[in-house]
Amino acid sequence: RRSPPPPPQPPPPSCSYADPRELAIVIDSSGSVGKAAFDKTVVALADFIGHMCHKFECGGPETRIAVLRYGSQVKEVFNFQYSGTVHNNKAKIVSDIKSRTTYLAGFAGST
């Protein structure tokens, strides 16, 4: 006698594009990273955010982004409230990431 097949599993919950999202990014700018590597990271981050903004509306209530950097201290580049004011302006968000995310040069080994 064969066992009956298992009951069908319910589908996994879906992530709707209508659901609000918050993305917080923390960047290491300590002395152990170095300015050249930090600058490459900022460019890669801006590219990542730019690509992400093709999938989601960036800024406003739909997808809010915050960026922090740390070295020997933590500095806020911009917070969720700021990115909420540049509703769906990918160019502004990417430009602000590049211009506002500066190297802090914290002490090497202190992070």
Side-chain angles (χ1 to χ4, degrees):
R1 215 172 200 206
R2 290 188 174 182
S3 303
Q9 296 294 316
S14 66
C15 178
S16 167
Y17 287 125
D19 294 337
R21 292 159 296 280
E22 290 184 333
L23 174 64
I25 299 168
V26 181
I27 303 173
D28 184 355
S29 70
S30 66
S32 61
V33 171
K35 182 166 179 11
F38 178 82
D39 290 343
K40 287 180 183 177
T41 300
V42 171
V43 170
L45 170 61
D47 288 346
F48 168 76
I49 296 299
H51 290 297
M52 189 189 78
C53 288
H54 285 294
K55 296 278 185 187
F56 305 105
E57 285 190 38
C58 292
E62 295 84 12
T63 301
R64 300 186 311 166
I65 302 166
V67 178
L68 301 171
R69 63 182 179 213
Y70 70 94
S72 55
Q73 50 185 285
V74 175
K75 295 284 186 179
E76 181 181 276
V77 176
F78 54 80
N79 59 31
F80 292 127
Q81 286 76 27
Y82 166 78
S83 71
T85 65
V86 290
H87 179 69
N88 206 26
N89 188 340
K90 176 181 93 170
K92 175 80 172 137
I93 293 171
V94 168
S95 171
D96 285 349
I97 288 171
K98 289 180 179 177
S99 67
R100 293 180 176 203
T101 310
T102 56
Y103 185 57
L104 288 177
F107 298 109
S110 66
T111 56

